Amino acid sequence: MWPVQRSSLSHKLTLMSVWSTGSALTLVFVAYAATAVLSHTADQRQQLSSLAGVIGTNSVNALLFADPRQAEQTLAALGAKDDVAQAALFDRDGKRYAQYTAAGAAGSAGSAGAGADLGPARLAEIGAGAVTERCGPPWAPGMRVYRPVLVNGNLIGAVMIEAGLGRMWRDVLQTLAACAAASLVSLAIALVLAARFKRGIAEPIGKLIAAARLVSTSQTYQQRVAHQRDDELGTLIDSFNDMLSQLDSHDARLAQYRDQLERQVSVRTEQLEKAKNAAEAASHAKSAFLATMSHEIRTPMNGVLGMTELLLATPLSGQQRHYTDMVRRSGQHLLVIINDILDFSKIEAGKLTVEYIHFNFRELLDDIDHVFAPQARLKGLALEFSIAPDIPLAICGDPNRLRQVIVNLLGNAIKFTDRGQITVKVGVTAEDAQAVSLRCEVHDSGIGVDHDAQARIFDSFSQADGSTTRKHGGTGLGLSISKQLVELMGGTIGVDNALTQGSVFWFAVNFDKRRVDVDDPGFNYTITQGLRALIVDQHTDSRALLERQLAGWKISADSAADAADALGRLHAAAADGRPYDVALLDMALARTSGLALASTIKADAAIDGVKLLLSSVRDAADSVQRRQAGVAFQLIQPARECDLYECLITPARPAAAPPHAQPAPAR
């Protein structure tokens, strides 16, 4: 196929002329040829039908008076027609009565022509009207006409005349040849005229293309295209020349502007360089100042707070204790503000980094609960931790930064909530073999955050409005620092309105999971090898499963089905000088609970050195109850292998007195 899209304009114009003229002439030729064939065929059919009518009329007497000789003489008159090949006369029964065959056509007058009788059905068909049919081979076509012979409307016979169509087709071909010759002559004339016209179109366009290429390669706009036309192409050339004139003018003005801009950029660059140097010097000075102030401010503040705590431990009057407590709380609040400003300065300077260490997530949440529970009680608020049971204990990340974010959000919730409840929800949003995505939400029933303030609440030194700053205090850096920390850990943070009252602050962070694979050749068995464990569970299957897990870590494990058996084994092991290192207690024991058994164990000085792990189908005991009972860690059944291993190797935290309520960080 001709590549039309890549061909030149001259070729396209020639192709258009050929296709349009040729298509029109071809359609005319085809229509004329069809008309000629149909017309000649109709004329031939009409002639044969008229001739058969004449023969039938002349053969009436021969049929009525049974004179075959007269009938043959009548048919012999057809010899004057050169194209008649054969003819036949049939009586009223359809039998051949007389026959005529032209010289040289005897071979064709067999059973298929005049020599064949007509059946009654065929004769009845002919009696209803003349019948015409094709005959002969394709290379020598013919036409056969049957016409009835009627006397007073009665059928007395039929006439058949067969003629060749060779002469007709010669006439048709002669006519079509003349038509084809006329079409070719018309096409040639059209091509000649198109060649003259296309030069008038292609040459000006070629000049435009050459001028455009010259302008593109030389990047100069002084080129012009000369012409003497007043048609659309002349208008196009004039528009092209005007465009070049405008581009030439614009290019000159741009050159002037470029020179001016280069001079201005040079001056501004010099000014910016000076400003950058000054800013860097100021930044260095600020960093040095903050480094100095971090030590110079925090050290005396810690001394003030320490002395205040000692002073509160001495006998004081009510008024003195009140004043001293106000000094302590003001100092703690000032220390929080100082820490926020220093953290924000580190973030601005790009000096704040995150760690990547293994830590126990539930232990971190317990610490936060232990710190904020007294603050919530002082304000009459209900503080609840809703932790999903499928959260892994051992994860990898920065526990200090994670604690800082949760503390900021929870402290804000307590500070801006006067009554109601605060709920901390932690759940898993996605998890695979290597990582887990955790989402932490802090729901409060406080003053809430309107839609306008949500867009700016995470900005530096910004709060919901000025009234909250005056009423609740704070620097407005807590949420900004939290946002920076979450993004530094690769997560996202946001705020939504609660369904009824208050707000929901949330953040989502991905953490790697600590892998515990006993088949890993790099697994260090020395950490757990030689430990002794006691499994206290009333279900045989659960005890067997734990024994297999502990045996894989080279831990010697014994089992007890109830509390009495467990206490007996603990005392016996202590008496033998081989006490158990850890005891795994099921919360749902018969006639008692795992929490009560833990309290009994820790109350007995002979066996209180064992580390206690409590397992339950859900978070059945809160952190305060677990600490009071001496439980080191709580596991949710079925316990993950990595969580169990983490609890076994992590030392139990020493019991500590409840800390004093800490002021919540500023929002």
Side-chain angles (χ1 to χ4, degrees):
M1 182 179 291
W2 189 305
V4 178
Q5 295 183 352
R6 296 194 298 270
S7 61
S8 64
L9 180 62
S10 177
H11 290 167
K12 290 179 180 178
L13 291 175
T14 302
L15 190 61
M16 290 172 57
S17 301
V18 170
W19 276 103
S20 59
T21 306
S23 300
L25 292 175
T26 301
L27 291 175
V28 171
F29 178 78
V30 171
Y32 182 78
T35 303
V37 171
L38 295 175
S39 176
H40 280 74
T41 303
D43 291 344
Q44 184 71 10
R45 184 186 302 109
Q46 184 64 32
Q47 290 178 8
L48 290 179
S49 180
S50 299
L51 186 59
V54 172
I55 295 298
T57 302
N58 294 334
S59 302
V60 170
N61 291 331
L63 290 172
L64 292 176
F65 298 105
D67 189 356
R69 184 178 181 81
Q70 182 183 356
E72 290 182 354
Q73 290 176 355
T74 301
L75 293 177
L78 294 174
K81 300 290 289 184
D82 296 337
D83 53 347
V84 176
Q86 57 182 350
L89 182 64
F90 302 92
D91 59 13
R92 69 180 68 226
D93 296 327
K95 295 182 179 180
R96 180 177 56 81
Y97 190 72
Q99 176 180 337
Y100 164 77
T101 302
S108 64
S111 61
D117 295 335
L118 298 177
R122 181 68 168 166
L123 186 61
E125 180 184 357
I126 295 172
V131 177
T132 303
E133 60 184 20
R134 299 279 184 177
C135 63
W139 58 88
M143 181 181 292
R144 186 179 296 158
V145 175
Y146 294 89
R147 185 155 181 172
V149 180
L150 303 173
V151 175
N152 296 326
N154 296 320
L155 179 66
I156 63 173
V159 178
M160 185 280 294
I161 298 178
E162 180 181 327
L165 300 179
R167 178 179 295 177
M168 184 198 75
W169 281 109
R170 286 194 296 271
D171 294 342
V172 171
L173 292 177
Q174 289 176 359
T175 303
L176 295 181
C179 181
S183 299
L184 292 176
V185 172
S186 300
L187 181 61
I189 294 173
L191 291 177
V192 172
L193 294 177
R196 293 191 60 185
F197 290 141
K198 77 179 182 181
R199 284 197 297 270
I201 297 176
E203 288 180 1
I205 294 179
K207 291 181 180 179
L208 284 174
I209 294 174
R213 288 177 177 173
L214 181 61
V215 170
S216 177
T217 55
S218 62
Q219 296 295 319
T220 58
Y221 306 104
Q222 289 79 23
Q223 181 72 21
R224 300 293 183 272
V225 180
H227 72 96
Q228 296 180 352
R229 305 176 65 97
D230 55 359
D231 56 358
E232 288 82 357
L233 286 176
T235 303
L236 177 62
I237 295 174
D238 291 337
S239 300
F240 181 76
N241 291 334
D242 292 341
M243 180 184 67
L244 291 180
S245 299
Q246 294 177 9
L247 288 175
D248 191 18
S249 176
H250 291 166
D251 191 48
R253 289 199 297 269
L254 286 175
Q256 296 176 358
Y257 294 152
R258 184 168 55 252
D259 294 338
Q260 296 177 3
L261 183 61
E262 288 178 354
R263 290 193 296 270
Q264 292 178 0
V265 168
S266 177
V267 174
R268 295 292 175 84
T269 302
E270 184 178 356
Q271 294 175 351
L272 288 175
E273 186 69 23
K274 293 180 180 178
K276 182 178 78 70
N277 294 334
E280 289 179 352
S283 178
H284 290 310
K286 183 183 72 172
S287 299
F289 172 76
L290 290 175
T292 303
M293 293 301 294
S294 174
H295 175 73
E296 296 298 332
I297 295 179
R298 287 179 180 177
T299 299
M301 281 303 304
N302 288 327
V304 170
L305 293 176
M307 293 298 104
T308 306
E309 294 289 346
L310 294 177
L311 183 59
L312 286 172
T314 61
L316 297 174
S317 65
Q319 186 177 15
Q320 290 173 336
R321 184 170 298 277
H322 173 68
Y323 291 158
T324 306
D325 187 63
M326 290 184 60
V327 171
R328 180 181 59 81
R329 283 184 292 169
S330 299
Q332 289 174 344
H333 184 64
L334 179 59
L335 187 60
V336 169
I337 295 176
I338 293 172
N339 290 334
D340 284 347
I341 294 175
L342 293 178
D343 286 342
F344 180 74
S345 301
K346 287 182 180 180
I347 293 174
E348 277 195 331
K351 300 296 181 64
L352 193 64
T353 59
V354 295
E355 294 180 320
Y356 186 83
I357 60 175
H358 299 292
F359 67 96
N360 189 301
F361 186 65
R362 285 183 175 271
E363 185 176 311
L364 183 143
L365 294 176
D366 283 346
D367 289 341
I368 296 174
D369 183 16
H370 187 58
V371 170
F372 282 95
Q375 299 182 38
R377 284 195 299 269
L378 286 176
K379 293 192 66 174
L381 302 175
L383 178 60
E384 178 184 353
F385 278 73
S386 177
I387 305 171
D390 57 344
I391 291 181
L393 290 179
I395 58 177
C396 301
D398 191 333
N400 295 323
R401 299 305 179 189
L402 182 61
R403 179 187 288 106
Q404 187 174 356
V405 174
I406 299 176
V407 165
N408 272 330
L409 299 183
L410 187 54
N412 284 335
I414 293 176
K415 181 170 65 175
F416 291 98
T417 303
D418 294 330
R419 61 180 178 273
Q421 178 175 322
I422 297 174
T423 304
V424 180
K425 295 183 178 180
V426 184
V428 176
T429 58
E431 184 177 7
D432 55 27
Q434 288 78 31
V436 60
S437 179
L438 301 181
R439 179 183 173 95
C440 180
E441 299 178 353
V442 179
H443 298 248
D444 64 63
S445 57
I447 60 177
V449 182
D450 58 34
H451 291 284
D452 295 335
Q454 288 180 8
R456 65 176 188 276
I457 197 168
F458 289 100
D459 296 338
S460 305
F461 303 102
S462 175
Q463 292 186 334
D465 54 41
S467 63
T468 57
T469 302
R470 291 189 297 269
K471 179 179 178 181
H472 299 282
T475 61
L477 291 176
L479 291 179
S480 176
I481 294 173
S482 298
K483 181 175 184 293
Q484 297 285 346
L485 291 176
V486 170
E487 292 177 350
L488 196 62
M489 290 186 290
T492 56
I493 190 171
V495 59
D496 299 322
N497 285 328
L499 295 178
T500 56
Q501 182 183 1
S503 58
V504 179
F505 283 86
W506 59 268
F507 68 91
V509 182
N510 292 330
F511 296 96
D512 290 337
K513 295 194 298 186
R514 179 169 181 174
R515 296 187 59 192
V516 179
D517 190 355
V518 297
D519 296 329
D520 187 355
F523 182 76
N524 187 6
Y525 293 104
T526 59
I527 300 178
T528 56
Q529 188 172 9
L531 294 180
R532 298 193 66 208
L534 177 62
I535 302 171
V536 185
D537 195 323
Q538 61 182 350
H539 299 96
T540 306
D541 295 339
S542 299
R543 295 198 304 269
L545 177 61
L546 287 174
E547 288 175 357
R548 287 194 299 270
Q549 288 181 345
L550 297 179
W553 297 329
K554 309 301 181 183
I555 298 176
S556 176
D558 296 324
S559 297
D562 52 34
D565 188 10
L567 291 173
R569 288 179 178 273
L570 289 171
H571 282 286
D576 292 341
R578 298 175 61 248
Y580 290 103
D581 299 290
V582 61
L584 288 76
L585 311 180
D586 183 21
M587 184 66 177
L589 291 176
R591 296 186 297 276
T592 185
S593 67
L595 200 63
L597 177 58
S599 299
T600 302
I601 293 173
K602 287 300 180 181
D604 192 337
I607 56 175
D608 64 351
V610 63
K611 182 168 67 174
L612 301 180
L613 305 184
L614 183 66
S615 63
S616 62
V617 294
R618 57 186 179 87
D619 200 2
D622 60 25
S623 59
V624 176
Q625 291 175 324
R626 293 196 302 271
R627 281 193 294 269
Q628 291 175 350
V631 175
F633 302 104
Q634 179 172 350
L635 294 167
I636 305 300
Q637 293 179 353
R640 304 181 187 210
E641 198 170 79
C642 60
D643 293 343
L644 177 58
Y645 179 81
E646 183 72 15
C647 293
L648 289 174
I649 66 173
T650 303
R653 293 177 298 169
H660 296 288
Q662 300 294 328
R667 190 189 293 256

